[in-house]
Amino acid sequence: MGRPSKLILSFLAATTLAGAPATAQEKTDFRVAWSIYVGWMPWGYMEDSGIMDKWAEKYGIDVEIVQINDYVESINQYTAGAFDGVSATNMDTLSIPSGGGVDTTALIVGDYSDGNDAVILKGEGDLTSLAGKPVNLVELSVSHYLLARALDSVGLAERDLDGVINTSDADMIAAYTTDDVQAVVTWNPLVSAIMEEPGANKLFDSSDIPGEIIDLMVVNTETLEANPAFGKALAGAWYETMALMAAGDEEALTAMAEASGTDLAGYKAQLDSTEMFYDPAAAVTFTESGELPDTMVSVAEFLFDKGILGEGAPSADFVGVAYPDGSTTGDAANVKFRFDTTYMQMAADGAL
């Protein structure tokens, strides 16, 4: 399984749903949604193992962690107000809830893709060989973004291709084996499967743009402000689970592997292409880095270019993004996406 597959539909849904009122009052019951992806498997484990319940009880609240099989649907439901938080990438958070008007905070910066997403050519060649060729990918997904970044690195653009062919992630492996397909962009575990095909030539992957495809737990900003216990419980449970993973706890890792449809070796292979922030201090350092605003500007420009940065967005600056030092990119009068290190820092300080 991977990330975005229906962004056009999701955007249309989000713009319809974004008017849902935010839940800004104090409360005791919370729900967060997650979907299958290597860096998000801990959420399911936290629910099943009782780690989430333990931390929620500490803060006198109840947190239900719900798996949604369709990634984009999970974000749509969060945007509609059905959940208080959701696992999502930085790109999809910007385009769907934030672009749709729901003020959203990145509570936990869990990891970034470090090779899980790749541009693959059938046969010999390099990135310049893509000129004049069609490329199959999930349109308007992080794959599309990766292709744009890859082409830009060699002075090419999408117009230099013989088109981008929208292909479902479910059909990608089968499509690759057909004569018509010359190049694909996709994510793991599909990348691993395609690279086993004779002549598969990986030209570019997310390790070439480290830190740009970021996996998050995002929450409703107003809900978090009214209920800091919610943030503390989520962060406490998350970093207890991160400690288990960092220690190589095979029971926990095997549970995550099986839940994602692979075995322990397969899950570890996927983790090798994922820069997990097991240490909360590392997550704080990454989130406070000077590179993050540059990344978000680049992502905003891509989304605007593709027409999916919020309904009627007049420019790539339409949505404001705030950073831990108080700086912003985009429209400072329309901040709807906030990177907040408060709770990750509390975990780093042992203050949860």
Side-chain angles (χ1 to χ4, degrees), residues 223-269:
T223 299
L224 179 63
E225 289 177 348
N227 301 277
F230 174 49
K232 292 177 182 178
L234 283 185
W238 175 261
Y239 286 110
E240 179 176 330
T241 307
M242 289 300 98
L244 292 175
M245 295 177 72
D249 187 303
E250 290 208 356
E251 180 181 346
L253 291 169
T254 298
M256 294 180 207
E258 291 176 348
S260 64
T262 185
D263 56 17
L264 182 58
Y267 187 56
K268 285 183 174 179

Side-chain angles (χ1 to χ4, degrees), residues 135-299:
V135 177
N136 293 63
L137 49 69
V138 178
E139 203 168 9
L140 304 179
S141 72
V142 291
S143 293
H144 207 154
Y145 174 76
L146 183 72
L147 175 65
R149 295 287 283 114
L151 292 172
D152 185 64
S153 72
V154 292
L156 295 177
E158 191 174 323
R159 62 179 175 273
D160 297 311
L161 306 175
D162 185 24
V164 165
I165 300 174
N166 189 32
T167 306
S168 164
D169 48 321
D171 300 329
M172 192 64 74
I173 294 177
Y176 181 81
T177 62
T178 65
D179 292 339
D180 291 341
V181 173
Q182 301 180 50
V184 301
V185 187
T186 189
W187 53 72
N188 262 326
L190 307 180
V191 168
S192 296
I194 291 172
M195 288 305 297
E196 292 176 357
E197 294 288 330
N201 177 10
K202 186 188 293 184
L203 304 179
F204 192 90
D205 67 33
S206 49
S207 68
D208 294 305
I209 53 168
E212 295 194 22
I213 299 175
I214 309 168
D215 299 307
L216 312 166
M217 169 52 69
V218 300
V219 300
N220 183 286
T221 298
E222 294 181 41
T223 299
L224 179 63
E225 289 177 348
N227 301 277
F230 174 49
K232 292 177 182 178
L234 283 185
W238 175 261
Y239 286 110
E240 179 176 330
T241 307
M242 289 300 98
L244 292 175
M245 295 177 72
D249 187 303
E250 290 208 356
E251 180 181 346
L253 291 169
T254 298
M256 294 180 207
E258 291 176 348
S260 64
T262 185
D263 56 17
L264 182 58
Y267 187 56
K268 285 183 174 179
Q270 292 182 37
L271 284 171
D272 287 342
S273 299
T274 310
E275 184 63 34
M276 294 293 298
F277 293 122
Y278 297 118
D279 180 354
V284 170
T285 299
F286 174 83
T287 308
E288 292 179 344
S289 71
E291 287 76 23
L292 183 58
D294 293 339
T295 294
M296 293 310 300
V297 168
S298 177
V299 168

Side-chain angles (χ1 to χ4, degrees), residues 17-157:
L17 298 169
T23 304
Q25 73 274 17
E26 291 185 23
K27 61 179 189 173
T28 57
D29 295 338
F30 302 86
R31 301 174 79 224
V32 299
W34 72 284
S35 54
I36 297 288
Y37 172 67
V38 54
W40 294 329
M41 298 314 297
W43 291 107
Y45 180 74
M46 288 156 57
E47 176 73 7
D48 295 340
S49 66
I51 291 175
M52 186 68 255
D53 285 344
K54 183 183 76 173
W55 281 89
E57 184 177 351
K58 176 176 180 177
Y59 289 104
I61 61 174
D62 182 74
V63 179
E64 182 184 10
I65 302 175
V66 180
Q67 181 184 343
I68 304 292
N69 290 330
D70 186 311
Y71 166 68
V72 170
E73 177 62 17
S74 71
I75 305 177
N76 284 341
Q77 290 196 29
Y78 160 77
T79 303
F83 291 95
D84 301 294
V86 67
S87 57
T89 68
N90 56 323
M91 177 175 148
D92 300 315
T93 299
L94 185 59
S95 64
I96 304 177
S98 297
V102 176
D103 198 324
T104 295
T105 294
L107 179 81
I108 295 172
V109 177
D111 71 87
Y112 63 79
S113 177
D114 194 24
N116 270 325
D117 302 77
V119 180
I120 303 170
L121 176 68
K122 190 181 288 183
E124 297 295 321
D126 56 21
L127 281 172
T128 61
S129 305
L130 294 176
K133 289 185 171 61
V135 177
N136 293 63
L137 49 69
V138 178
E139 203 168 9
L140 304 179
S141 72
V142 291
S143 293
H144 207 154
Y145 174 76
L146 183 72
L147 175 65
R149 295 287 283 114
L151 292 172
D152 185 64
S153 72
V154 292
L156 295 177

